[in-house]
Amino acid sequence: ARPAIMASLWARHGLSALLAANAVLLLSLLLKPQVLKLEWSRRKRLSLITPKMLHFSQGTLQARCRLLLQDAGLESGAAAIVADALVSAQRDGKVAHGLGRLPAILTSIRSGTVSGSARPSLTSVAPGILRSDAQGGLAMSAFAAGLPVLASTAQELGLCMLAVVGCRGIVGSLWAPLEQLAAQNGLIGIACCNSPPFLTTTGGKSRVFGTNPLAFAWPRTDGRPPVVIDMATSRISRGDMELAARLGEALPPGAALDVDGMPTVDAAAGLKGTQLPFGGHKGAALALAVELLGSALLGTDLAIDAESSAAGMNRGVFFLAIDPSRLSQTALAQAERLFSAMQRDEGVRLPADSRYRARAAAAEHGVQVDAVLAEECFGADFVRADAGPVVPVGLV
Amino acid sequence: ARPAIMASLWARHGLSALLAANAVLLLSLLLKPQVLKLEWSRRKRLSLITPKMLHFSQGTLQARCRLLLQDAGLESGAAAIVADALVSAQRDGKVAHGLGRLPAILTSIRSGTVSGSARPSLTSVAPGILRSDAQGGLAMSAFAAGLPVLASTAQELGLCMLAVVGCRGIVGSLWAPLEQLAAQNGLIGIACCNSPPFLTTTGGKSRVFGTNPLAFAWPRTDGRPPVVIDMATSRISRGDMELAARLGEALPPGAALDVDGMPTVDAAAGLKGTQLPFGGHKGAALALAVELLGSALLGTDLAIDAESSAAGMNRGVFFLAIDPSRLSQTALAQAERLFSAMQRDEGVRLPADSRYRARAAAAEHGVQVDAVLAEECFGADFVRADAGPVVPVGLV
């Protein structure tokens, strides 16, 4: 879907978009020297080249998403779950898991790559291990089937593992289910999943791992939202590689090898070759552990058995939940003291901060959606009727 | 103990040691161009400046270690466990956890910093969570008390967690207990622990985390030894920082900040300032997760509550064991296919390889010990009587 959106953006706005983007960039540089220190991230860079953002209410987007998913053939329970997941990610500024995924999901349901009628089945394979089988449907329905039982079993035993298996297509953010476990059930959560083969290991040049995400959540006290970590084990995301190739931008060093296994900052060469894990040999070791937990342990596909697309891959997610109240009554209070100590240094933000800031902004201004994407997803009539006032980019 | 050994080395061998070390270095460079690609690791660099290595039988070293520990006041069961741990690490080439630790352990027992008479107590705090309290003794005794029950409970429930708490002084390698769980019980193991505050986080300059290790083990088929990962969450180890400062060598970039929070490659400035996590902001997020699991969850000391030494710190270890046979009968076979695919690239080694190679060399030639260290630990008479033939450095 993303190439189509980009092409559409350029076709419609052409040179004026380019000039506008450059003007925004120049102004930003003049006004804020710290913009030079921009993290190499798609979201921020996209915000510099996106000419128009619209704002919608979360409920409106969810209802519309749900209808489209049902029309494509997804059963109504799953449609509500998937609509909520996509709109929540969009709201939190995590556009890689947001509405941009909707067109591909609709296509995958219509084509039968993803089963629209599948109902996940939940079984207990051991007293402390649950399996939620998506039966060829989307992972998010299998999360919803498994998470409440994962939580209650973890509270009973002190900990529990949930193996989500049999998923097709997009897994979605691991952040959201872990945030739920921590915020609603007071549980520590750890999760990881398998994905198509794009990553090599230290000393290698073949694709042996997915860019598999690893996620972690820790509940907080006094109603604060959980600390949640959710990171790919690759140096940069596949989406960022693809975007850099389209824009002709250089990759950061250490992100990719070409087909001959030589380091490259040429994004096109890196796409043909392999991506590298973050953090050198330590990151590569972590990527191996995540690949083993997210595929071999669950009985889902290894990256080496998958094509370079999620379409036909048997995908799965490893979840672990631990009840922190069993070992120490002061576990959460101790953690709060650590979070405070970290934030005493001016430049430090907790891993969750940017997401919660985006969520707060959305609560005030509505959920921000790229105008071209909104029209692609919902049509021009919907966009004209339901969009809130256009807020200039960068002020939200 | 290490500064004393280094001082002793220089005092005894002086200029001749320097010349010998340089000759060895020069010869290595001439003979093996790949030595230029040396990993920045203390063990390898020490091997270049150490003029004399002796070889002993594992049993002889263990017996001698055990006697010394008992003489210092450690009860006999614990003495056997600790002697085995130190000699096994030495045998496997992991000198940071080897006999070099013995003098400090003896001192800590004699001074009462570590309780020599403590007997660990094992309790079940939830059906799936065990706690092994070292009662102020060394962690290794508490591992030994907890691991068999961790294994049997994991086999019963599918998974189990063991919280080792109340440890003083040196924790020892996390590799060894995880290797045991994987090799003897066929379990996947994950472990991490707390440690003194040397690490800051992304954007910070204060010491907020330990250089806490994270470890992972995966059992293999056909009697192969497990794949085991054991890595500090810091870019380099504290020991490497200290060695670089003594030798006046530069640190690798990204390893440390000075007291003002500015990046530095000056080891002395880095020792006064803070170390950095490996892998940038992703590594920092991982270091946060490890700090939370290894201290707040267990009810042991946060790094921010500890002095810059392990002496008085309440240390603990998080262990998780998962039975891979519960979810998929082919889990281990699938993993073997991944290991094979990885090793098809010529430059790839599995994380465990160097340790198992050192172990195989020790089985043939005996356990290699620095001559100065051997004499410091066991006395000149022992060294003369029990050392095997001196094998030139680099040939083992």
Side-chain angles (χ1 to χ4, degrees):
Chain A
R2 182 62 60 183
I5 296 162
M6 293 297 299
S8 166
L9 180 73
W10 285 100
R12 290 176 200 208
H13 301 278
L15 188 64
S16 62
L18 181 65
L19 293 174
N22 281 330
V24 169
L25 178 61
L26 192 63
L27 202 63
S28 305
L29 290 173
L30 288 172
L31 294 177
K32 301 168 133 195
Q34 66 269 36
V35 87
L36 289 167
K37 286 190 258 164
L38 271 184
E39 256 295 299
W40 202 97
S41 103
R42 174 162 54 168
R43 194 173 63 80
K44 288 182 185 160
R45 293 191 309 115
L46 268 182
S47 75
L48 295 178
I49 60 163
T50 301
K52 194 177 167 195
M53 301 302 282
L54 301 176
H55 293 78
F56 301 88
S57 85
Q58 189 170 344
T60 303
L61 289 176
Q62 275 173 342
R64 188 73 193 183
C65 255
R66 184 175 175 169
L67 278 177
L68 288 171
L69 288 160
Q70 283 187 259
D71 285 351
L74 191 60
E75 64 91 14
S76 64
I81 290 163
V82 175
D84 179 55
L86 295 178
V87 175
S88 298
Q90 185 77 28
R91 173 199 67 192
D92 293 355
K94 297 294 170 190
V95 294
H97 295 291
L99 289 172
R101 297 288 199 177
L102 182 61
I105 291 176
L106 295 174
T107 304
S108 68
I109 297 167
R110 288 196 199 100
S111 71
T113 313
V114 168
S115 163
S117 59
R119 285 171 190 274
S121 70
L122 185 68
T123 49
S124 170
V125 299
I129 305 183
L130 301 162
R131 174 162 46 205
S132 180
D133 189 331
Q135 310 269 6
L138 288 163
M140 291 160 263
S141 304
F143 294 174
L147 287 173
V149 189
L150 173 64
S152 59
T153 311
Q155 277 153 349
E156 184 193 328
L157 299 182
L159 83 174
C160 183
M161 177 187 157
L162 167 66
V164 174
V165 302
C167 313
R168 293 293 182 282
I170 287 151
V171 161
S173 149
L174 300 184
W175 172 296
L178 288 193
E179 182 187 345
Q180 179 187 327
L181 282 173
Q184 294 177 17
N185 307 108
L187 297 169
I188 298 165
I190 298 174
C192 60
C193 77
N194 65 346
S195 59
F198 294 128
L199 213 61
T200 192
T201 188
T202 303
K205 62 179 185 176
S206 303
R207 297 175 172 194
V208 291
F209 309 139
T211 58
N212 307 342
L214 172 64
F216 174 86
W218 182 276
R220 299 194 63 182
T221 59
D222 300 325
R224 294 183 192 94
V227 164
V228 188
I229 294 162
D230 185 357
M231 59 192 192
T233 41
S234 53
R235 172 75 177 76
I236 65 170
S237 76
R238 192 73 186 170
D240 277 347
M241 291 269 288
E242 288 164 353
L243 188 68
R246 278 200 297 279
L247 299 178
E249 285 183 4
L251 299 175
L257 303 179
D258 65 21
V259 286
D260 299 318
M262 299 305 291
T264 184
V265 294
D266 178 335
L271 284 174
K272 283 187 212 124
T274 62
Q275 292 185 239
L276 286 168
F278 85 90
H281 70 283
K282 293 188 179 188
L286 188 71
L288 170 60
V290 166
E291 178 77 19
L292 290 168
L293 293 175
S295 63
L297 173 63
L298 306 180
T300 50
D301 283 348
L302 296 173
I304 54 169
D305 292 329
E307 303 293 321
S308 296
S309 127
M313 190 175 190
N314 179 355
R315 301 191 69 183
V317 182
F318 166 98
F319 282 109
L320 178 75
I322 302 173
D323 183 349
S325 69
R326 289 303 186 100
L327 276 156
S328 161
Q329 286 306 317
T330 60
L332 301 191
Q334 290 285 76
E336 291 301 324
R337 293 200 306 108
L338 172 59
F339 301 143
S340 297
M342 289 169 68
Q343 292 176 102
R344 243 167 258 144
D345 282 345
E346 213 180 323
V348 174
R349 287 178 178 166
L350 294 180
D353 278 3
S354 69
R355 193 151 183 156
Y356 294 132
R357 277 201 307 276
R359 189 179 299 180
E364 197 172 339
H365 302 288
V367 177
Q368 181 170 284
V369 187
D370 172 310
V372 176
L373 173 63
E375 197 173 321
E376 183 186 348
C377 288
F378 306 121
D381 290 350
F382 173 81
V383 167
R384 270 192 295 277
D386 284 287
V390 174
V391 178
V393 172
L395 295 188
V396 173
Chain B
R2 182 62 60 183
I5 295 162
M6 293 298 298
S8 166
L9 180 72
W10 285 101
R12 290 177 201 206
H13 301 278
L15 188 63
S16 63
L18 181 66
L19 293 175
N22 281 330
V24 169
L25 178 61
L26 192 62
L27 201 63
S28 305
L29 290 173
L30 288 172
L31 295 177
K32 301 169 134 195
Q34 66 269 36
V35 87
L36 288 166
K37 287 190 257 162
L38 272 184
E39 256 294 299
W40 202 98
S41 101
R42 174 161 54 167
R43 194 173 63 79
K44 289 182 185 160
R45 293 192 309 113
L46 268 183
S47 76
L48 295 177
I49 60 163
T50 301
K52 194 177 168 196
M53 301 302 282
L54 301 176
H55 293 77
F56 301 88
S57 85
Q58 189 170 344
T60 303
L61 289 176
Q62 276 174 341
R64 188 74 194 184
C65 255
R66 183 176 176 170
L67 278 178
L68 288 171
L69 288 160
Q70 283 187 259
D71 285 351
L74 191 60
E75 65 91 14
S76 65
I81 290 163
V82 174
D84 179 55
L86 296 178
V87 175
S88 298
Q90 184 77 28
R91 172 199 67 192
D92 292 355
K94 297 295 170 189
V95 295
H97 294 292
L99 289 173
R101 296 288 199 178
L102 182 61
I105 291 177
L106 295 174
T107 304
S108 68
I109 297 167
R110 287 196 199 100
S111 71
T113 314
V114 167
S115 163
S117 59
R119 284 171 189 275
S121 70
L122 185 69
T123 50
S124 170
V125 300
I129 304 183
L130 301 162
R131 174 162 45 206
S132 180
D133 189 331
Q135 310 270 8
L138 288 163
M140 290 160 264
S141 304
F143 294 175
L147 287 172
V149 189
L150 172 64
S152 58
T153 311
Q155 277 153 349
E156 184 193 329
L157 298 181
L159 83 174
C160 183
M161 177 188 157
L162 167 67
V164 174
V165 302
C167 314
R168 293 293 181 283
I170 287 151
V171 162
S173 150
L174 300 184
W175 172 296
L178 288 193
E179 183 187 345
Q180 180 187 327
L181 282 173
Q184 294 178 16
N185 307 108
L187 297 169
I188 298 165
I190 298 175
C192 61
C193 77
N194 65 345
S195 59
F198 295 127
L199 213 61
T200 191
T201 187
T202 303
K205 62 178 184 176
S206 303
R207 297 175 173 195
V208 291
F209 308 139
T211 58
N212 307 342
L214 172 64
F216 173 86
W218 182 276
R220 299 194 65 183
T221 58
D222 300 325
R224 295 183 193 94
V227 164
V228 188
I229 295 161
D230 185 357
M231 59 192 192
T233 41
S234 54
R235 172 75 177 77
I236 63 170
S237 75
R238 192 73 186 170
D240 278 346
M241 291 269 288
E242 288 165 353
L243 188 67
R246 278 200 298 277
L247 300 178
E249 285 183 5
L251 300 175
L257 303 179
D258 65 20
V259 286
D260 299 318
M262 300 305 291
T264 184
V265 294
D266 178 335
L271 283 174
K272 283 186 211 124
T274 61
Q275 291 185 239
L276 286 168
F278 84 91
H281 69 283
K282 293 189 179 187
L286 188 70
L288 170 59
V290 166
E291 178 77 19
L292 290 168
L293 293 176
S295 62
L297 172 63
L298 306 181
T300 50
D301 284 348
L302 295 173
I304 54 170
D305 292 329
E307 303 293 322
S308 296
S309 127
M313 190 175 191
N314 179 354
R315 301 191 69 183
V317 182
F318 166 98
F319 282 108
L320 178 74
I322 302 173
D323 183 350
S325 70
R326 290 303 187 101
L327 276 156
S328 161
Q329 286 305 317
T330 60
L332 301 191
Q334 290 285 77
E336 291 301 323
R337 291 199 309 106
L338 172 58
F339 301 143
S340 297
M342 289 169 69
Q343 292 176 103
R344 243 168 259 144
D345 282 345
E346 212 181 323
V348 174
R349 287 178 177 166
L350 294 180
D353 278 2
S354 69
R355 192 151 182 155
Y356 294 131
R357 277 201 306 277
R359 190 178 299 179
E364 197 171 338
H365 302 287
V367 177
Q368 182 171 284
V369 187
D370 172 311
V372 176
L373 173 63
E375 196 172 321
E376 184 186 346
C377 288
F378 306 121
D381 289 350
F382 173 81
V383 167
R384 269 192 296 277
D386 284 287
V390 174
V391 178
V393 172
L395 295 188
V396 173

